[in-house]
Amino acid sequence: MDYVNEGKLDPQTHIEVLNDSEISIVNIHSTKQRNGVGRAFLQALKLMGVSVHVLHPMNDAMPFWRKMWDEGLINDDPDQETTWESFLTGLECQMSADVWAGDDDDNAGQGPTPPVI
């Protein structure tokens, strides 16, 4: 069952194998939109007994993931997952905080040194 080699799923699709019975989908792209390939892929995984988890669904893909959740084809409610956009915002905030917290004694009393872009 190699949907990428058969030309059904785009090579941008990113799936992480967690163990023999679980995978995590970071993103899934079919080569033709709205042709049912994503659903068929998830149905085939379910028939094989594979649990499918969605990791950081993108905002524009939420309607698809909600429908797959309603149909029982994924194991986690997408509305309970951190979206990709929220994940990136949190990561950017963390990185900015790390840069600003990197003061050294030479600059003490002058305030934080702004990051160089």
Side-chain angles (χ1 to χ4, degrees):
M1 178 176 74
D2 192 347
Y3 278 67
V4 175
N5 285 341
E6 293 172 8
K8 295 178 182 177
L9 289 180
D10 190 295
Q12 292 180 357
T13 295
H14 182 85
I15 299 170
E16 296 176 3
V17 176
L18 302 175
N19 58 48
D20 290 344
S21 63
E22 289 184 290
I23 65 167
S24 180
I25 295 178
V26 177
N27 59 46
I28 185 171
H29 296 277
S30 61
T31 53
K32 296 179 183 176
Q33 295 300 312
R34 304 189 195 290
N35 64 358
V37 170
R39 175 183 283 114
F41 178 66
L42 295 172
Q43 287 171 333
L45 291 170
K46 184 173 179 92
L47 288 173
M48 293 172 55
V50 175
S51 297
V52 177
H53 305 282
V54 179
L55 181 63
H56 306 306
M58 296 185 70
N59 284 334
D60 61 348
M62 288 300 283
F64 170 78
W65 292 119
R66 286 182 184 119
K67 189 167 189 145
M68 298 303 99
W69 166 249
D70 290 343
E71 293 179 18
L73 298 178
I74 60 175
N75 291 69
D76 305 310
D77 182 351
D79 289 317
Q80 300 300 314
E81 300 298 317
T82 303
T83 64
W84 182 247
E85 293 82 359
S86 295
F87 172 74
L88 286 180
T89 299
L91 187 60
E92 288 171 354
C93 289
Q94 179 63 41
M95 290 173 66
S96 294
D98 289 347
V99 169
W100 283 91
D103 289 21
D104 58 27
D105 291 338
D106 293 340
N107 294 329
Q110 295 179 13
T113 306
V116 177
I117 299 176

